[in-house]
């Protein structure tokens, strides 16, 4: 077998408590149903090999590449506020691939069977949720938001028992790493300071190497992670993405979006929107995402306290100072993004009012989030409630005046808007339709079209009504479920 790839596993240089060597379970009849040839190319992988019978054996975990040590990673986490020991309960890290640009990526099989961290679970995944992760993660990539990627989905030939019986599947996930806030919590809670330090040093070298030689490097590290998350969450808010399960085990230190279980994009704008069926309190509602990110980061800061200063009080002070910066960092990224969405190049003290007024009208008139900004970009109003609103007409006048006061031309302003206001997002009804056809009829054509459109969401040359139209009234109360 010559797949011409070499997998490393630098994670094995960490103290052994951080992982367990774990082979993926063998599956009866692996079948490759989705292969991401674009991503394969970026990673320098040989698509012909991986689509062959031998390649599928590797992707399904039935055969492990020579000289590799697959592992399951240990981590803990706060789930809906409660601390628990977790770990890869249904995933195995095959190894790390280094691209020709010297970028290192984890190649992980999700749904590959039980591990020592499975607790009561079967270690398996089902086809619908894995395809859903594929669609939405690739959609996020198209939108320009940092995300783990999906290299492949395979069916396993197994039948998995959930509320009904479902086809078993494996997702081949690619991530800058799977080091989570929860990995640091695990180290802080269950290991010694030396081991925590080893994890921090490893993580800094892998993701923030420019600060490794700095004085107070752990403080800088915390600062950089806070900044990266502030930018990421602003990115989510700006496109109306609701993650749904922002537990500390689902926040990765690299700053990528990870774990596409109950996530969904908002259609009608409302700050309190929640899709996840298990989020009964609305803890992870759209408007709470920045606050919850800050909460998660405070857990990271706590875990890092032993490294921040020899004096505990001083260490806590440092942690607090860094966490306190989240809110301003986030707002700066968000206002910056909102200004661009409105075609505004420079800051003006009136912007906050202008932006807040628009959002207020969107709530009042139940406007579609994406299409409101798309309409502004195209200089049109398609939404029935907004068309008949004089308040909205007045707002439009104010906005146009503000745009005209800029030195930059209206044409440049429109181009700026085109570059940040998606015309298509993974709309829930289109995602469901694609999944239904794939899972029930083994017909992947709708999914292929959707994924292909989502690769160019800022393409204003080829407008495609089918993917732009919001769902009808019947879609109200759309619910998502964790991908187990
Ligand atoms: P998630 O909700 O996907 O973030 O998973 C939370 C935790 O539950 C992680 O430790 C997972 O590995 C574990 N988990 C989720 N589903 C399963 C399953 N079917 N079997 C074993 N562990 C699981
Ligand atoms: Mg998770």
């Amino acid at each position: 077998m010559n797949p011409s790839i070499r997998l490393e596993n630098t994670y094995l240089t960490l103290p052994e408590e951080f992982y367990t060597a774990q082979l993926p379970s063998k599956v009866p009849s692996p079948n490759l149903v989705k292969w991401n040839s674009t991503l394969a190319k970026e990673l320098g992988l040989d698509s012909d090999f991986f689509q062959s019978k031998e390649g599928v054996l590797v992707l399904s975990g039935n055969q492990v590449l020579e000289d590799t040590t697959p592992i399951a990673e240990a981590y803990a986490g706060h789930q809906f506020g409660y601390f628990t020991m977790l770990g890869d309960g249904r995933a195995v890290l095959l190894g790390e691939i280094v691209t020709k640009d010297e970028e290192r990526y984890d190649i992980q099989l999700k749904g590959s069977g039980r591990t020592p961290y499975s607790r009561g679970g079967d270690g398996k995944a089902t086809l619908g949720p894995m395809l859903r992760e594929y669609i939405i993660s690739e959609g996020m990539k198209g939108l320009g938001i940092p995300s783990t990627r999906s290299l492949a989905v395979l069916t396993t030939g197994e039948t998995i028992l959930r509320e009904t019986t479902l086809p078993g599947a494996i997702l081949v996930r690619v991530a800058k790493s799977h080091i989570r806030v929860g990995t640091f919590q695990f180290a802080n809670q269950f290991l010694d300071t030396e081991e925590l330090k080893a994890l921090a040093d490893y993580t800094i070298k892998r993701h923030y190497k420019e600060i490794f030689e700095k004085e107070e490097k752990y403080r800088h590290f915390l600062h950089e992670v806070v900044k990266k998350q502030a930018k990421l969450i602003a990115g989510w808010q700006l496109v109306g993405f609701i993650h749904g399960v922002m537990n500390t085990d689902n926040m990765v230190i690299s700053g990528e979006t990870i774990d596409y279980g109950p996530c969904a994009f908002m259609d009608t704008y409302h700050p309190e929107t929640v899709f996840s069926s298990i989020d009964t309190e609305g803890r992870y509602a759209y408007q709470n995402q920045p606050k919850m990110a800050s909460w998660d980061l405070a857990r990271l800061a706590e875990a890092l306290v032993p490294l921040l200063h020899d004096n505990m009080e001083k260490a806590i002070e440092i942690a607090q100072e860094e966490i306190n910066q989240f809110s301003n960092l986030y707002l700066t990224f968000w206002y910056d993004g909102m200004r661009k969405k409105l075609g505004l190049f420079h800051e003006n003290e009136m912007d906050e009012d202008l932006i807040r007024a628009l959002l207020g009208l969107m709530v009042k008139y139940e406007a579609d989030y994406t299409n409101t900004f798309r309409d502004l970009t195209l200089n049109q109003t398609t939404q029935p409630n907004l068309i008949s609103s004089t308040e909205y007409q007045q707002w439009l006048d104010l906005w146009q005046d503000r745009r005209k006061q800029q030195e930059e031309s209206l044409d440049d302003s429109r181009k700026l808007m085109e570059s940040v206001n998606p015309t298509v997002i993974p709309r829930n009804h289109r995602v469901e339709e694609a999944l239904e056809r794939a899972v029930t009829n083994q017909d992947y054509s709708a999914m292929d079209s959707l994924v292909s459109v989502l690769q160019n969401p800022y393409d204003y040359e080829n407008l495609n009504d089918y993917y732009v139209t919001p769902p009808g009234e019947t879609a109200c109360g759309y619910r998502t479920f964790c991908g187990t």
Side-chain angles (χ1 to χ4, degrees), residues 98-136:
V98 182
T99 66
K100 62 177 183 330
D101 303 329
E102 305 277 303
E103 298 280 356
R104 182 177 295 274
Y105 291 97
D106 278 4
I107 309 282
Q108 192 203 56
L109 304 185
K110 182 169 172 179
S112 57
R114 286 181 54 80
T115 77
Y117 313 110
S118 296
R119 298 171 290 160
D122 59 4
K124 304 287 182 180
T126 58
L127 182 58
M130 295 307 103
L131 293 175
R132 196 165 187 281
E133 171 154 348
Y134 187 108
I135 296 170
I136 302 188

Side-chain angles (χ1 to χ4, degrees), residues 75 79 86-90 118-119 121-124 162 249-250 259 484:
Y75 55 87
Q79 299 194 301
L86 297 161
D88 288 331
R90 56 161 172 169
S118 296
R119 298 171 290 160
D122 59 4
K124 304 287 182 180
R162 292 290 182 259
D249 52 301
N250 291 338
D259 240 317
T484 48

Side-chain angles (χ1 to χ4, degrees), residues 343-391:
L344 306 176
F345 289 90
H346 311 284
E347 266 183 74
N348 178 306
E349 55 183 9
M350 303 296 288
D351 292 347
E352 187 171 341
D353 287 348
L354 193 72
I355 292 164
R356 297 283 171 198
L358 174 63
L359 293 174
L361 291 172
M362 286 163 69
V363 174
K364 183 168 172 187
Y365 293 103
E366 301 179 352
D368 181 87
Y369 182 79
T370 306
N371 286 356
T372 300
F373 290 101
R374 182 178 184 273
D375 280 355
L376 291 172
T377 312
L378 290 165
N379 200 17
Q380 63 183 24
T381 310
T382 59
Q383 304 196 58
N385 297 350
L386 287 180
I387 291 177
S388 50
S389 150
T390 36
E391 284 177 288

Side-chain angles (χ1 to χ4, degrees), residues 14-73:
L14 283 172
E16 61 186 18
E17 289 86 349
F18 284 105
Y19 57 85
T20 305
Q22 174 69 54
L23 291 175
S25 302
K26 290 210 185 332
V27 299
S29 153
N31 183 27
L32 183 64
V33 294
K34 277 304 294 174
W35 174 250
N36 189 338
S37 47
T38 317
L39 176 59
K41 204 167 170 195
E42 285 171 36
L43 295 172
L45 295 175
D46 177 355
S47 278
D48 288 340
F49 170 77
F50 283 103
Q51 289 174 290
S52 74
K53 218 170 168 191
E54 277 186 308
V56 169
L57 289 178
V58 175
L59 295 172
S60 62
N62 276 3
Q63 193 159 343
V64 171
L65 292 170
E66 277 164 31
D67 301 325
T68 57
T69 311
I71 57 169
E73 293 181 4

